[in-house]
Structure formats: C-alpha cells, structure tokens
Amino acid sequence: MAILPPSFLTFKAKKLNLYKITITVILSTISYLAGFQNFRGSISIDTTPSSSNTVFRCAPADHKTTKLDFGAHHFALIPPSPVAREHHFPPCDPKYSEYTPCEDAKRSLRFDRRRLIYRERHCPESHEILKCRVPAPHGYKVPFKWPESRESAWYANVPHKDLTVEKKNQNWVRVQGERLRFPGGGTMFPRGADAYIDDIGKLINLKDGSIRTAIDTGCGLTCNETQELNNYFHLMNLPPVASWGAYLLSRNILTVSFAPRDTHVSQVQFALERGVPALIGILASIRLPYPSRSFDMAHCSRCLIPWGQYDGQYLIEIDRILRPGGYWILSGPPVNWETHWRGWNRTREDLQAEQSQIERVAKSLCWRKLVQRKDIAIWQKPTNHVHCKANRRVFKRPLFCNSQNPDMAWYTKMETCLTPLPEVAGIGDIAGGQLAKWPERLEAIPSRISGGSLEGVTANNFVENSRLWKKRVAYYKNVDFQLAKTGRYRNLLDMNAHLGGFAAALVDDPVWVMNVVPVQAKMNTLGVIFQRGLIGTYQNWCEAMSTYPRTYDFVHADSLFSLYKNRCDNGRHSARDG
C-alpha cells in the first residue's frame, strides 16, 4: 500500500476547502437575491473589514411574529428641471450698477421737458422692468464708519470725478488716492459748512432744540427753462454734496437733502455714501413726498430755483411742508446781489427784479422777513393764519386751498393755493399745538394724536408702541450683533414705520432711519413721525424707491408683506440690491 506524502494530503485538503467556500458563496448569493425579491426592501452592506468572526444562529421561524417592513417611508421629492429650480434673479449687466428705475436719465427724455417735468418720477412699464440684481461697481468696499464717512468715501464706490474738476476752486470734493475727500466747502461757504452754519446760528437759535428737522431744498434743475443741461454743474445745490446736512447732525438737527438724478454728477449718491440722509427728487410739478407741517427749517443755497415764477408755486410748496413758525433760509442769487452781480454774470436789473419777486411772494404767504445779513436771508412762516386770512383783502393771490388733503403727497400735483393751518382759539396760539423741544419731543404725545387726527390711535397706544419697540430693538440686537455694534450700520430703512417706534428706539445709536409710510397703509402716520423729530417719506412699494442702489445698511419691514399681499402687479416687481 502506497503511502502518500504529507504535502499531497495538505494540497488535497486545501482544494476541498476551496470547493466548500465556493459552494457556500453561491448558495448565500442565491438566498440573498431571493430574499430581496420577496421584501422589496433595501439592505446596506458594510464593506469595511470586520474584526469579529463570531457566527450567529438564525432564529427559528415564528409565523406569529409581525412581518417586518423594509420599504422606504421618507421619499424625496422628484427634483424639478433646472429651469423650474431657477428661483433667483441673475445679476444685471455691470453698466446698471447705479440704476434708478423711476429716475432713469435716458428713459426720462421721453417726457415733458417743460419745467423739467421729465426729471420727476417716471417708473418703467411692466415690459421695461429689469428683473435682475443690480451689481456693485468694480472694487466696491464697505463704506467708512461714521463720523469718518462724513469726510471720506471710497472712490470705487462712487466713481465720479466731475465735481473735483468743475468745483476744484470751491473746496467741494477732492480725490486723494483711493478716497474721495469732502472738506465741507462750497460756493456760498468758502470757509466750510461748519462756519456757514455758525453764521446761521447767529441769526436764529440752532441750539435750544426748537429746530430738529430740516430740508435742503435740493438742486435747481427747475431753473430757467432755457438753461442748457450742459451748464447744469453751475446750478447744483445740495450744498454741496449734502455738507450742510452732514454738519447739522452734530447739532442734533436731522436734515433730508434732495436733488434730481442728473447726467453729470451724483450728489445724492455722494450724500448717502457719506452717511447723510438724502433722496432723489425735484421741485417741478408734483408735491414733495412729505405731509404738511413737517419741517422746522428749509434751506436753499445757490439752488437757483425760480422761487418767484409760476405764481410762486415753489414757495407755496415750501410753505406747505414748513411747520407753523418754521424758517426758510436763502443764500446765493439774488441775495446780496449788490455785491456779487458781476461774478454771477447777470445784470443788476435782472437780479433786483428777481429779489423783488421773491419778497412779494413771501409777503403774500404771510411770511415775515427776519433778517438779511450779507449773503444770508431768513424768513419765518406765521404760527397761525388769523392775520393771513384777514389780509386776503390785500393779497388776492394765493387763495386758501379748500379741496386737496394737505398731507396727500404721492404723485399729487402742486397747486397755487395756500395750505390753511389748523384753526386756533386765540391769535397767540400755535396752529396744530406747540411742539416740545428736542429731545423731549421724541417721546412727547404728538398733537396729531392728542388732537384726534388719527382715528383709533390714542396717547396710550403711542406710549405702548414706544415701549414695545424698545423691547423689539433690544431683541434685534441680541439676534443681529452687527446692529448692536457701534458704527457697523449707518443708513437704515424702515419700510413700514407706522408711528416711528423702530427709529425712536435707535435714537441714541450713531444711525439715521428713513421712516417710510406706504401710501397703501390704513392710516397716514408720517405727520406723527415728523412731529416726533424724525424724518421719513411716502412710498408705494410696488415701485422702486427714489434712491440709488446700495443706499441702506439695514432694511426693516414689519407687517409689510401682509399689507401688500395681492396688491402689486407681478410685472411691477424689480430686484435691486439695497
């Protein structure tokens, strides 16, 4: 009997084990596939190496056991096609980096050029709206913090050198490397805006808190209809690039500056970049977007608005928005024409006639000329209309208005009638009630509320609203640490301001808030906001706002979307970066 060598036996054993392993794998695979077909479930296979060789017995079959369900119960929605998933607006072409839909310089040329009406708001039709996101200009940087922004801005953010060339001798604005510098000079204040304001402060009291809200009556694009647009530089006001308003802020006087969107320079854009309140606007044929009795002071420095023309319509509009006892300040032509007429390239007779015309209109409005000293003249509106109604026997025009709501000012045509002040009991009373001085004015009950002008709003409602917004703003600051960080934000927008509680709660922060009262709101509360010593404007949010892209650092909207639900035509929406 032959004896097999040990190596042969080892080989045979290994071969037998290989057969067993192969058969086991085949049977396991068949079993797995059969089970998969029965359960229609999914079993994940762990492909990572196992460190355990323990074998587990299969449990005996128990037909009373609940049948396991291996089916999926959380189904993902079938993803829509790439086109359907496109829910965001694409970026606009870079050429639209300063696009203002309702004041587009090219589109405006279609409209009436008489009295520069074409420079007013003319929003695009549905088919003209750009449905894209306005891009920032190349090299855009976060603006400087206040108060540094009052003197400096990044040139890349507002890349315009026109004023640095045209007004280089007037100390308006300079380019220094990557920065625009605003020394605070100007045509009518070569010593700077601060010194100019000091001169005004010697004539009326700017320190006792009686003057809180002011309007810089923008630029005189409504000047002579024969004025060529390419001479427009010489007509610019906002004096200059809102320096007047910028330096009044240190005196606790909050100023709204306005000027039209022009083809040469961006005065409003400069102002906003500096952190100064401003809007695109013009005195042409429609009312300014403010209620009656809004401002404590109005100002025009070399704005060249034809105040005496068109039956005094522009001064009549200033009278409407001035509070009783408010001031109108005029510097530049024709004031002190006897000294400057040669430099203004106008005749003595022409300038004298213009000044006489302004004086005549002011008297017809019952304004009192307080003072004229050198280049500054100041008039004051009466505190009531007791005498003014009596002297209509002398001044046949303007008559008192008796039809339009004096607070209505959204595409509302200006009139040549005088807005009557509220009735008073005695000749020494102030129409509409005495305003508290700043800062008490902020929390004092506005006379529009105490007098019952706003139906359903009581003094208690006002106090509770103020208390509520202090709590809400404190919560906002806990959620948004940037809002709590001093200097991070400067320009704020409240899209549905109601009584101005949001802005009032932030009054101690180095910010300003543009309080918007939508024209669709149930109550017109903008007059209350101004009586509190805050600023604001009207707006229809189905249209673009009269401002430049990137105006605001923080946008607040309370109950706005419910207000506008199903109100706007889908075609009227346009996407813009704030």
Side-chain angles (χ1 to χ4, degrees):
M1 182 176 182
I3 298 175
L4 298 173
S7 59
F8 176 79
L9 293 174
T10 303
F11 172 79
K12 188 174 182 181
K14 289 182 178 179
K15 188 174 183 181
L16 181 62
N17 288 339
L18 181 60
Y19 289 151
K20 289 180 180 180
I21 292 172
T22 302
I23 292 171
T24 301
V25 171
I26 292 172
L27 292 174
S28 298
T29 302
I30 293 172
S31 176
Y32 170 79
L33 293 174
F36 180 80
Q37 290 296 326
N38 288 334
F39 291 110
R40 296 288 183 185
S42 62
I43 302 174
S44 62
I45 301 175
D46 187 0
T47 59
T48 59
S50 175
S51 60
S52 174
N53 294 321
T54 306
V55 178
F56 297 91
R57 291 181 182 273
C58 293
D62 185 0
H63 298 290
K64 294 182 180 179
T65 304
T66 303
K67 185 177 180 181
L68 298 177
D69 182 5
F70 289 91
H73 291 276
H74 299 280
F75 296 93
L77 296 175
I78 299 174
S81 64
V83 175
R85 280 182 284 168
E86 191 71 25
H87 63 275
H88 66 275
F89 288 105
C92 302
D93 188 283
K95 68 181 180 181
Y96 292 107
S97 65
E98 296 178 355
Y99 181 55
T100 53
C102 297
E103 290 90 4
D104 182 66
K106 291 183 179 179
R107 186 176 177 277
S108 68
L109 297 177
R110 307 178 192 172
F111 299 96
D112 192 350
R113 298 177 75 90
R114 289 177 302 169
R115 291 177 58 176
L116 285 294
I117 290 172
Y118 74 108
R119 290 294 190 191
E120 294 178 327
R121 281 179 63 89
H122 299 287
C123 296
E125 300 295 332
S126 298
H127 66 278
E128 297 174 306
I129 290 177
L130 296 178
K131 295 185 177 180
C132 55
R133 292 176 291 116
V134 172
H138 178 71
Y140 181 85
K141 298 180 181 181
V142 176
F144 292 101
K145 295 180 180 180
W146 183 267
E148 186 180 2
S149 64
R150 188 176 68 176
E151 281 82 31
S152 297
W154 294 113
Y155 173 74
N157 294 7
V158 193
H160 298 286
K161 292 185 178 180
D162 306 78
L163 285 180
T164 66
V165 177
E166 296 291 331
K167 301 292 183 181
K168 62 182 179 180
N169 296 325
Q170 296 174 18
N171 214 23
W172 280 30
V173 58
R174 299 172 182 170
V175 177
Q176 294 181 354
E178 295 182 336
R179 296 189 182 196
L180 291 167
R181 301 284 298 182
F182 302 95
T187 309
M188 296 311 301
F189 32 96
R191 295 181 295 120
D194 229 7
Y196 173 74
I197 293 170
D198 285 340
D199 290 341
I200 294 174
K202 295 172 185 176
L203 307 177
I204 56 175
N205 197 332
L206 300 177
K207 297 179 180 180
D208 68 348
S210 60
I211 297 176
R212 165 63 181 174
T213 58
I215 183 168
D216 197 349
T217 51
C219 153
L221 230 177
T222 52
C223 304
N224 298 325
E225 294 176 23
T226 58
Q227 189 72 39
E228 295 293 334
L229 284 178
N230 57 9
N231 291 330
Y232 180 44
F233 277 124
H234 306 291
L235 309 181
M236 292 303 292
N237 179 40
L238 213 64
V241 286
S243 289
W244 190 70
Y247 284 88
L248 278 173
L249 287 168
S250 62
R251 295 162 171 82
N252 277 325
I253 297 175
L254 198 54
T255 305
V256 179
S257 300
F258 75 85
R261 172 67 194 260
D262 56 272
T263 54
H264 298 290
V265 290
S266 302
Q267 296 257 31
V268 169
Q269 196 176 13
F270 277 131
L272 294 167
E273 192 67 22
R274 296 176 69 185
V276 179
L279 288 167
I280 301 173
I282 188 172
L283 271 170
S285 69
I286 61 175
R287 286 178 171 179
L288 298 174
Y290 314 107
S292 63
R293 298 179 281 137
S294 293
F295 296 96
D296 305 318
M297 178 170 61
H299 173 260
C300 160
S301 173
R302 196 176 170 81
C303 60
L304 303 186
I305 292 173
W307 298 112
Q309 297 181 25
Y310 311 118
D311 297 321
Q313 196 169 59
Y314 299 138
L315 271 184
I316 289 173
E317 175 62 3
I318 297 302
D319 179 85
R320 183 185 71 86
I321 63 174
L322 271 181
R323 68 158 169 84
Y327 303 96
W328 182 58
I329 302 171
L330 176 66
S331 64
V335 177
N336 199 13
W337 59 267
E338 298 90 343
T339 302
H340 299 295
W341 66 277
R342 288 187 179 87
W344 291 340
N345 295 320
R346 293 173 62 183
T347 65
R348 288 170 169 265
E349 293 74 19
D350 180 35
L351 288 162
Q352 186 176 22
E354 183 182 350
Q355 174 130 4
S356 298
Q357 202 173 33
I358 291 173
E359 302 272 8
R360 185 166 53 253
V361 173
K363 284 183 180 179
S364 73
L365 300 178
C366 305
W367 290 5
R368 180 167 66 98
K369 189 172 185 180
L370 291 180
V371 64
Q372 178 173 326
R373 185 174 298 174
K374 296 183 179 179
D375 298 335
I376 300 173
I378 301 178
W379 286 261
Q380 186 176 25
K381 179 178 175 176
T383 55
N384 60 59
H385 274 161
V386 174
H387 280 308
C388 199
K389 289 181 178 179
N391 73 14
R392 289 305 90 181
R393 293 189 295 268
V394 177
F395 295 99
K396 303 299 183 182
R397 293 286 186 275
L399 298 174
F400 280 97
C401 304
N402 56 16
S403 56
Q404 280 194 348
N405 180 346
D407 294 339
M408 187 182 299
W410 187 250
Y411 294 114
T412 306
K413 289 293 183 181
M414 284 192 292
E415 294 183 308
T416 54
C417 56
L418 185 58
T419 300
L421 291 173
E423 296 292 335
V424 294
I427 196 170
D429 294 340
I430 297 176
Q434 174 74 53
L435 289 175
K437 294 183 178 181
W438 185 263
E440 290 78 14
R441 178 172 168 178
L442 182 69
E443 299 297 341
I445 308 299
S447 62
R448 288 180 183 252
I449 292 178
S450 60
S453 298
L454 294 179
E455 186 177 352
V457 180
T458 65
N460 288 336
N461 296 148
F462 176 80
V463 173
E464 285 298 319
N465 183 267
S466 297
R467 186 179 297 125
L468 172 65
W469 278 106
K470 287 178 182 177
K471 292 180 180 179
R472 286 184 175 179
V473 169
Y475 174 75
Y476 289 171
K477 289 183 176 181
N478 287 331
V479 175
D480 182 359
F481 298 111
Q482 304 274 19
L483 182 61
K485 187 177 180 181
T486 302
R488 173 61 184 86
Y489 296 144
R490 173 63 183 169
N491 305 355
L492 278 64
L493 172 68
D494 192 354
M495 298 179 72
N496 188 18
H498 190 44
L499 300 177
F502 172 74
L506 289 164
V507 73
D508 293 327
D509 293 1
V511 302
W512 61 269
V513 180
M514 183 62 71
N515 295 280
V516 172
V517 172
V519 294
Q520 291 86 354
K522 293 180 180 179
M523 287 186 293
N524 183 355
T525 56
L526 192 54
V528 167
I529 289 169
F530 275 99
Q531 283 193 329
R532 298 188 72 175
L534 305 172
I535 58 172
T537 185
Y538 294 116
Q539 176 64 37
N540 178 355
W541 287 118
C542 294
E543 301 176 357
M545 193 175 182
S546 292
T547 191
Y548 284 84
R550 301 169 298 281
T551 289
Y552 295 102
D553 307 309
F554 186 98
V555 176
H556 177 253
D558 175 52
S559 304
L560 182 75
F561 298 107
S562 56
L563 175 63
Y564 276 89
K565 185 178 180 180
N566 300 323
R567 284 184 183 268
C568 298
D569 177 6
N570 290 335
R572 300 297 294 180
H573 290 289
S574 62
R576 299 178 59 201
D577 292 339

